[in-house]
Each structure stands twice: as C-alpha cells, then as structure tokens.
Amino acid sequence: MALIVQKYGGTSVGSVERIQAVAQRVYKTVKAGNSIVVVVSAMGKTTDGLVKLATEISPNPNRREMDMLLSTGEQVTIALLSMALQELGQPAISMTGAQVGIVTEAEHSRARILHIETTRLTRHINEGKVVVVAGFQGTSSAGEMEITTLGRGGSDTSAVAIAAALRANFCEIYTDVPGILTTDPRLVAEAQLMDAITCNEMLELASLGAKVLHPRAVEIARNYGVPLVVRSSWTDDPGTWVISPKPQGRSLINLEIARPVDHVEFDTDQAKVALLRVPDKPGVAARLFGEISRQKVDVDLIIQSIHEGNSNDIAFTVTTPILKRAEAVTAAIAPALRSQSNPKFDEAEVMVEHNIAKVSIAGAGMIGRPGVAAKMFATLAAAEVNIQMISTSEVKVSCVVNAAECDRAVSALCTAFEIEAKSGELLTPNPCTDAINRVSPANPYPDAINRVSPHSSPTPPVRGVALDLNQARLAIRQLLDRPGMAAKLFGLLAQHNISVDMIIQSQRCRVINGVPRRDIAFTVSRLDGENAREMLTQVAAELGWGEVVLDSAIAKVSIVGAGMVGQPGVAAKMFEALAQQQINIQMIATSEIKISCVVAQEQGVKALQAIHAAFGLAGSEKFVVPA
C-alpha cells in the first residue's frame, strides 16, 4: 500500500483520551496495509505553560535553554502515544528529533532543517513499527549535538520534511478544523471547506483559515512534490488536498536552505497606463476597474500608491495589443474622477508608457527571507536597470523596467540567483494550477497519489480571502529616482532582518532642484515597524530622502485564486465590494494569482466579510474552531 506521514497538533493529543483516539486512527491505517510515521506536537497548551515558567524565571530567557525546555513537551506526547499503540498490539517506538536524524542549522528557536538521516527511521519502518516522532525539534550539525527548535509551525515543518526525505506517498496534517477553508471561520462562520487548493495558492494565503498549515511546510511540499492533505482529527472526512507540482529531482541536502529563487521570468509584451491625481476616497478604484472590466480589458499588475494630499495614483499594465482600448477607457473615465473641490488643479491625468517589460523572480524559498527582494534590486542596480514599478507576493517579486533593458536585467538576475537562463522564457504557468481538478476527494487514500481524474471542472477565480491585522506601513517621501535606491533601502532592512511584504513605488515623479524623486511605501510586521522607522530616519539625510512616516493602524485584505488569470472582472468585483461598504483603499498590489488592498485597521474585518460574500464563497455549514 502506501508509506504515510501523519502529523497531529496539540489539540489532537491534548488528553489521554485524545491520544488513545489518535492511536486507534493510526492502528486502523496500519491494518489497512500502510506503513506509518507519526509526528506529534506537545499536548494541548503544554508549550504555553513551559514558556510561562521560563518567563517567571527570566524576563528574557536564553534561547538555548528555551530550546532545551520547549523540546520536552513533544517528548511526553511521543512516549504516551507509543504506549497507547503498544497497548493495541501495534509495535511502535518513540524518537526525538535528534534520534530520528533531523539535522538543523545552529540557530536556536528558529532553526531550518538541513537534512534528515533516514537510516534508523527506515529500519524501524521495515520492522513493521509505527515510528512516533517529536515534531518541532532537531539537532545542530556542528558536532555539539545542540537541541534546536524550528519555531512556529515547527511540527508541520517536521512532518513534511520527513515525508520528503522518505519519499512518502503523502503527508496528512490532522488538526481541529476539517481542512482548508475559504477564510478564517472565526470571522466568517460560513467559510467554505475546499476539496483541494494548489500549493502556490496556499503559499499566498499564509494566513488563510484558522492558520492550520505553516508556510514552511507548504514550501517543502512544493519544492519536493509531497502530496499534502489537511484533515480533522475528530472525523473521517477527506479534508483538503494541497496539490504540489511533480518533483524536479531537488537535492535533500540543505533541505530548507536551498536556493530561494526557482525561476527568472519576463514578459516584453507589456505597456503601462497610469492615472495620476485621482481622489483619495472610497469607490474610485471600483469605478475605474469596473469600466475596464465592462470593456473586456484584461489587466496584469495593478498598483495604487500612498496618497499625497487628497489624491493618489493608480497604475496598471496590459498586453500591447489591447493598450489602445485600455488607454481609451482610462481617458474617458478620468474627467469623472476629477476632484469636486478644485477640479481644475486636481484633474486626473492619464500617462501611458510603451516599451516596458516585466521581470520577475519566483520561488517558494523566498518566504521569510528578508534579503531576496533586496538582492534583486541590487542586481538590477548593478546592471544599471531602473525600476519603474514593483509588485510583490509571498512567492514572487516583479519589477517593470524599460524594454530595452530587459535582456540585461534577465541575464543579471539569472547569474545572481544561479538560474539557468532559458531563451524566450515568458511568464511560466503555475505548475500546479491545473492539478486542483485532479484530486478525487471521495478517495481519501489515492495511490501515490493516483490524482488524475478525467472529470475536471473549471477552477473558480477566487479560492480564498485572507486578512492580516499584524502589519504596519512605512512611507518614504522624495526618494531619488535612479538605479540603486531601492537596493539601498531594502538592503538596509534585510541587514536588520526585517521582512517586507507589499512594496509600492509611486507613479508621480517630482523634480526637486533638478533631481527626479518618487515616494515609496511598503509594509512590514507591526513588531518591526518602529525599529524600521528609527533606522531609516537615521540614514535619511545621508541617502538624500525625505520624511519617513509610520502607520500601524492598517489591515491587509487579499484574494487569491489561480483561476483569476485572464478574468478582467475579478479586481473590479473586489474593489466594488469595498466601495459598497464605504471602505477606502489606501494601497493596491497584485501578482498573477493575488490582489491585496491596504485599508484602515478598524475596517479590516468588515472588508474581509464583504469580499468573501461578494465572491459567493460562503458554504451552507458553519464551522466552529475549538478554543
């Protein structure tokens, strides 16, 4: 039959009765002819209790000692679950991360997995034992045998990494919700359960649902082609499959620190349309893109910069053949967007730019690595390529550049990220976009996995809606508009280990003392906001930029769906849903399968609920997440 890795979270093993129920489930799976490795978390709130004990001893406990302390929680669970299996007559053995051969970086509390020595693990499996592994932990490779932990979501990461190392048929993540939902059921009770979602969609929706799956686990599954399913530990329902592309023969050495970028992509068949000085009020984006949608104009990137006074700029890219239609639509609607207070001064202006190209880097390994975008910008600066637009997502960074500089940009990026250049490579399709229709949810154990179903249905344009209330926005005014400035800015942030999410460069250029300047805005974790502001303010005079402004009262709401490619009305529907609730959009950024809007923090939940309803994502069943 199959080799299966199962992972059970803290609530699934939160009591003796729950551990015995898990043992019964594992036993039943073994009796069906499968070989099983089980990865478990600490029982219930054990880890929280251990953290509380540590903080009672020290307000700032040593990270090494914290790893030593926190790793004990999983050891209790593995021993008890092994005992429970043995009581059922099933041979089982418990193993810590060190015993199972999980070798990590020597980074306490946030280590990444380097490789897994599978010899001992394989021997026990071949002997017919269920191997019960402590998730969340490993050991350093420096000969010191230091216990390390993997950070938040570590047990998910352990399970998928073991599945990759063993080349398991699939990995099951058991949790307290029935699978991946279209949004967080704590905010929308009617959130709908999905049968399947692609790996790229799942990576983009890192905060989707009840945060049941950590992005690092999805990253490993995507990189190594591990079929992954999220299921409820309370029922036998089939759950949600996270579909990965076929494995590309990637080395299992440096498992989590392999190169972050898989592809350098480009598209020279692009033009840019910018609408400058549109009123900063609800409904403007909805009106513009609603008309664009009605005229069947399909846009690619969309960005809306931070406001300046009472207006801001919206820019988008289209393919060259439809540029004239896009320009006509925008020119026709521009007068209607004129400010009512001072129409002559604030009249919206249409700016069109031909001969541009979009250059992108893409890869699941970009998540949580602050230096990747900075390296891209530095590489383009070194090649004397100026960046006109920037758009970011969890797995892609795209820059709009002059078409004449495209070849130079692609060549430089391929060299910098050690990617083999492919002649004429246009934007590559998502390798698992179509796979979403290849899972048969009626069969919870498709063979290895026999995922192809001849009966496929069209993928809906939007798969889920996510809300992030933990971001802050920084804006830098009057940044010099020349190659290298973005590289310096984001290089500084990377040096301070600050990860950046959305990046928006304004389209309006001001010439001050003969020097062209633009504003740039970006979002970071709220915890990093004040430190980033202080650091950037200190170097502002030296680097020649203006005021650094921090806004921590923001929310980011996003829609994700591989099916939105080539569907002009998706963005318009999202913007209209916000306009109907009188929610003003402060920033817009897009990728091929994601549209994100920054709104006021107090309107974040209302924005999520409005967008979820607008795309008809609600189901008939209400899901309650256990406390």
Side-chain angles (χ1 to χ4, degrees):
M1 288 288 285
L3 171 58
I4 305 169
V5 177
Q6 296 183 339
K7 178 262 176 177
Y8 294 90
T11 54
S12 301
V13 291
S15 65
V16 168
E17 292 74 20
R18 291 303 306 154
I19 288 173
Q20 289 171 329
V22 167
Q24 289 283 356
R25 184 186 290 271
V26 173
Y27 181 69
K28 179 181 176 182
T29 308
V30 172
K31 288 306 175 187
N34 302 294
S35 298
I36 305 293
V37 175
V38 181
V39 177
V40 293
S41 300
M43 295 175 63
K45 302 291 185 181
T46 297
T47 301
D48 292 342
L50 293 173
V51 170
K52 185 173 183 295
L53 286 174
T55 54
E56 288 175 1
I57 295 291
S58 169
N60 187 27
N62 179 277
R63 290 201 303 171
R64 178 192 182 276
E65 303 310 328
M66 282 299 290
D67 277 3
M68 186 68 73
L69 175 67
L70 297 182
S71 65
T72 63
E74 280 73 20
Q75 292 183 47
V76 172
T77 316
I78 59 174
L80 292 175
L81 181 55
S82 294
M83 293 175 192
L85 286 164
Q86 290 163 9
E87 284 297 302
L88 295 174
Q90 171 59 47
I93 183 169
S94 62
M95 298 177 73
T96 65
Q99 289 173 322
V100 86
I102 298 177
V103 180
T104 75
E105 302 170 302
E107 284 281 346
H108 289 292
S109 79
R110 57 187 183 197
R112 287 181 179 262
I113 297 171
L114 298 177
H115 63 277
I116 300 177
E117 301 282 357
T118 59
T119 305
R120 185 177 178 187
L121 189 56
T122 302
R123 185 177 77 245
H124 289 309
I125 293 170
N126 291 339
E127 291 169 352
K129 296 176 183 175
V130 170
V131 184
V132 185
V133 179
F136 176 66
Q137 62 181 247
T139 183
S140 69
S141 60
E144 299 286 336
M145 295 297 291
E146 286 289 306
I147 292 175
T148 55
T149 63
L150 308 182
R152 188 174 70 86
S155 292
D156 288 353
T157 305
S158 299
V160 182
I162 288 171
L166 290 173
R167 293 181 170 82
N169 294 95
F170 53 94
C171 179
E172 297 178 313
I173 305 292
Y174 283 92
T175 184
D176 49 13
V177 291
I180 307 298
L181 303 172
T182 51
T183 196
D184 189 335
R186 292 166 295 192
L187 302 177
V188 180
E190 298 81 12
Q192 188 175 353
L193 179 67
M194 300 184 219
D195 292 333
I197 185 171
T198 70
C199 52
N200 282 1
E201 289 172 324
M202 192 66 235
L203 283 168
E204 296 284 22
L205 286 167
S207 57
L208 180 64
K211 299 180 176 66
V212 295
L213 194 55
H214 196 273
R216 280 172 66 184
V218 183
E219 175 188 347
I220 297 169
R222 180 188 185 276
N223 287 343
Y224 292 93
V226 177
L228 188 60
V229 62
V230 179
R231 305 181 67 190
S232 170
S233 58
W234 313 89
T235 71
D236 291 324
D237 294 339
T240 304
W241 287 95
V242 181
I243 310 301
S244 297
K246 292 180 180 178
Q248 301 298 314
R250 183 187 291 257
S251 171
L252 288 162
I253 303 299
N254 292 332
L255 192 146
E256 270 204 284
I257 61 169
R259 67 185 185 200
V261 174
D262 294 323
H263 304 288
V264 174
E265 307 167 348
F266 66 91
D267 186 352
T268 56
D269 190 26
Q270 294 246 325
K272 179 176 71 176
V273 180
L275 195 56
L276 309 184
R277 293 186 294 277
V278 297
D280 181 37
K281 63 182 183 181
V284 171
R287 194 166 180 181
L288 170 61
F289 288 98
E291 188 58 35
I292 286 172
S293 171
R294 282 188 286 276
Q295 298 301 322
K296 307 298 182 186
V297 174
D298 188 19
V299 302
D300 184 3
L301 298 182
I302 303 171
I303 67 165
Q304 177 182 304
S305 61
I306 52 171
H307 68 86
E308 180 179 344
N310 294 318
S311 69
N312 53 30
D313 308 331
I314 299 177
F316 56 92
T317 61
V318 295
T319 57
T320 304
I322 62 171
L323 173 60
K324 288 191 179 298
R325 195 156 24 119
E327 184 179 359
V329 173
T330 309
I333 200 171
L337 299 178
R338 183 180 303 158
S339 170
Q340 299 302 310
S341 58
N342 193 345
K344 195 166 187 178
F345 180 77
D346 285 331
E347 183 174 354
E349 175 189 352
V350 179
M351 182 176 69
V352 177
E353 188 157 353
H354 305 262
N355 302 319
I356 64 166
K358 181 173 70 171
V359 180
S360 307
I361 56 172
M366 294 165 60
I367 295 173
R369 300 193 196 183
V372 178
K375 184 175 181 178
M376 180 186 192
F377 303 151
T379 299
L380 295 177
E384 298 185 341
V385 176
N386 197 34
I387 301 170
Q388 300 180 25
M389 291 172 69
I390 300 170
S391 183
T392 59
S393 74
E394 298 287 343
V395 295
K396 181 174 284 191
V397 181
S398 297
C399 295
V400 170
V401 302
N402 190 300
E405 299 174 337
C406 180
D407 287 347
R408 191 162 75 246
V410 170
S411 177
L413 291 171
C414 285
T415 300
F417 289 104
E418 300 178 3
I419 304 295
E420 183 179 350
K422 297 180 181 178
S423 176
E425 182 180 48
L426 294 176
L427 288 174
T428 56
N430 177 350
C432 48
T433 296
D434 297 327
I436 198 164
N437 297 313
R438 298 205 300 263
V439 172
S440 173
N443 178 9
Y445 294 109
D447 62 33
I449 294 183
N450 203 353
R451 292 179 284 167
V452 179
S453 168
H455 307 293
S456 60
S457 56
T459 303
V462 174
R463 302 286 292 154
V465 187
L467 176 67
D468 190 342
L469 293 169
N470 296 308
Q471 293 205 352
R473 179 182 61 218
L474 285 145
I476 299 180
R477 301 291 188 182
Q478 300 178 18
L479 198 74
L480 297 173
D481 184 29
R482 65 187 184 198
M485 291 311 298
K488 287 181 180 178
L489 167 58
F490 294 104
L492 281 169
L493 293 167
Q495 288 171 22
H496 288 76
N497 203 34
I498 296 173
S499 292
V500 177
D501 185 10
M502 294 174 68
I503 303 173
I504 303 293
Q505 184 172 267
S506 71
Q507 294 304 295
R508 210 178 310 182
C509 183
R510 293 185 302 280
V511 178
I512 301 175
N513 297 326
V515 179
R517 295 174 180 268
R518 297 181 191 271
D519 297 340
I520 195 165
F522 53 92
T523 59
V524 299
S525 166
R526 188 171 297 154
L527 294 175
D528 290 329
E530 186 56 42
N531 288 339
R533 188 196 66 78
E534 289 180 6
M535 182 267 292
L536 294 174
T537 299
Q538 288 171 5
V539 300
E542 176 189 344
L543 295 176
W545 60 52
E547 184 184 11
V548 180
V549 181
L550 173 67
D551 184 356
S552 296
I554 64 164
K556 184 184 77 170
V557 62
S558 306
I559 58 173
V560 168
M564 70 171 63
V565 177
Q567 298 208 28
V570 175
K573 182 179 285 191
M574 179 184 189
F575 302 153
E576 178 60 29
L578 296 175
Q580 287 179 1
Q581 297 297 319
Q582 290 297 300
I583 296 173
N584 194 35
I585 300 172
Q586 300 179 16
M587 291 169 66
I588 301 171
T590 67
S591 70
E592 279 82 0
I593 65 170
K594 183 176 185 178
I595 302 173
S596 296
C597 295
V598 168
V599 301
Q601 184 181 40
E602 68 270 15
Q603 295 181 311
V605 172
K606 184 165 73 169
L608 171 82
Q609 293 169 341
I611 294 167
H612 193 269
F615 285 98
L617 297 177
S620 56
E621 184 179 354
K622 291 188 177 183
F623 295 103
V624 178
V625 179

